[in-house]
Amino acid sequence: MFDWRWDFAFEILPRLLQATLNTLAAAGIGYGIAVVLGLVFALAQRTPSRFVTLVVRECVEFIRSTPLVLQIFFVFFVAPQFGIRLSPWVAGMIAIGLHYSAYLSEVYRGGIEAVPKGQWEACTALNLSTTKTYFRVIIPQALPPSLAGMGNYLVGIFKDTPMLSVIGVAELMQAANAIGGANYRYLEPYTMVGIIFLAISLPAAGLIKVFEAWVHKKLGMN
Amino acid sequence: MQPILQLYEYWNDIHMSYLDFLSEQGPRFIDGTIMTATQFFLSAILAIMCALTAGLMKLSSNRMIKGTALVYIEIFRGTSLLVQLYWIFFVLPLFGLTLDKFYTGFVAVGLNLGAYGAELVRGGIQSVPKGQWEAAYAISMSPAKRMYRIILPQALLNMLPPWGNLMIELLKATALVSLISVTDLMFEAKQINGSTFLSAQAFGTALIIYYIFARLVVTPFMRWLERVMARKMGRA
């Protein structure tokens, strides 16, 4: 009735699943960059220097309030002007990692600020170095409350990977575009891409909730 | 040393010619900004309507109504905006529903962000103390009046701060409509990049315009709205 062709759908399914792996890899790598860089951004906002705090804060705000797709274009096209040739994958990972690191830095910041003041005072009393204070006392306590936010952005980064198709990263959306263009059939590829996204992001969101509850229980936080 | 020198020369070039670039391409940036503002405004209205409807539907005790809202929210939150945009643009016409790219753009953005907003509406309504419901019931207000006069205004006040963030997300989301050739700011930046090859200037200017729009228009407006609402509710 809607002109849906099952044979065509099954024919393109392997290709789409192959591209799904690329999408998952892109989300994973981007998230890895964001988790580390986000922590750097969050900690940089806690240095004694007001200037550094201000600059980093403004950068984070800038990244957070401008469109990711524009940032992807910016990294991809501007880097060669400075003599750096970036492949679509590298440019895409830099852009998406940077974008989400700004979001994650806010999550970390909230987590760090939620650590009771007594913990800081105890560290001073024990004469712990700044590094030890952060990495042995503060951050381990700041992470569990940040887990919910981190999980949301993991699903978020996964759903934003289709934007990488604009610079030609061979992920799911790019594959669907290619299939659609070559066969003049858009119904099956785009619908299947939507279903694949649903099939991954809905269980992922559930799993993240379970994981969060598990961590909280393990740490006796309930 | 080489890259630093190159950087310096490049910087010199930019700053010499940037004003020329702006005076030449300014009108296109302005056209793009107006289109982006239009898309933003229309999709914001649609998102608010969708969010209110779906948020209220999700609180319904009728399972059909609740289920409909749940399906809408999960579908639009579970897939990417880009997928939805392409689907509406390329696939809906096969079902006999053809939308112009301008309409497709803000409809897709509005529906997508509306699904996120629905959760905020639901949370906002649930955060209104139970006593308010009981009091409205006690003075025998009709359910519609109770919602409209008592619950919604308080819920609105509670959910305005997260709506501020959502509006920024919405502004960013409108950049995607350029991919179906709506001539918004992003689209103009791409065109300028294609014709002048001045990528840093083209995309950089667009980034700055988006930033200014977000920080100097959207955020202050939402703050102002929060203050006005708080005053009207006697909570200022």
Side-chain angles (χ1 to χ4, degrees), chain A residues 35-60 101-102 104-106 108-109 112-113 120 130 134-135 139:
Chain A
V35 163
V36 177
L37 213 58
L39 191 58
V40 174
F41 280 155
L43 292 180
Q45 287 180 55
R46 304 190 62 89
T47 55
S49 158
R50 284 283 301 273
F51 178 73
V52 174
T53 307
L54 211 71
V55 170
V56 175
R57 170 102 235 107
E58 208 53 34
C59 284
V60 167
S101 68
L104 282 181
S105 82
E106 291 292 290
Y108 291 137
R109 206 166 60 97
I112 290 175
E113 274 167 14
W120 292 92
T130 315
Y134 271 105
F135 285 96
I139 292 175

Side-chain angles (χ1 to χ4, degrees), chain A residues 72-73 76 87-89 162-171 174-175:
Chain A
I72 292 173
F73 272 115
F76 187 60
S87 74
W89 265 94
M163 290 191 204
L164 296 172
S165 67
V166 297
I167 53 168
V169 174
E171 46 69 70
Q174 172 82 359

Side-chain angles (χ1 to χ4, degrees), chain B residues 30-153:
Chain B
I30 291 172
D31 285 350
T33 308
I34 291 171
M35 179 53 101
T36 289
T38 317
Q39 287 278 336
F40 171 75
F41 185 69
L42 292 173
S43 49
I45 291 174
L46 184 64
I48 291 167
M49 290 191 325
C50 289
L52 275 178
T53 316
L56 287 174
M57 279 168 75
K58 213 183 164 190
L59 288 169
S60 161
S61 47
N62 183 324
R63 284 179 64 183
M64 267 299 284
I65 295 175
K66 199 173 169 174
T68 313
L70 199 75
V71 168
Y72 160 68
I73 293 171
E74 292 302 336
I75 284 184
F76 278 89
R77 275 167 45 120
T79 59
S80 314
L81 172 57
L82 194 55
V83 178
Q84 294 152 21
L85 192 71
Y86 280 0
W87 206 88
I88 294 176
F89 194 61
F90 290 108
V91 178
L92 266 193
L94 302 176
F95 294 80
L97 186 65
T98 308
L99 283 177
D100 179 49
K101 60 193 179 188
F102 176 80
Y103 294 100
T104 308
F106 78 80
V107 165
V109 175
L111 284 175
N112 180 270
L113 272 295
Y116 286 90
E119 290 292 304
L120 298 184
V121 171
R122 189 183 56 91
I125 289 175
Q126 281 176 339
S127 75
V128 175
K130 221 170 164 223
Q132 299 286 330
W133 293 81
E134 286 159 3
Y137 187 71
I139 56 173
S140 71
M141 276 187 163
S142 69
K145 201 171 181 188
R146 179 177 63 193
M147 186 50 85
Y148 181 68
R149 296 294 298 271
I150 307 294
I151 306 302
L152 260 189

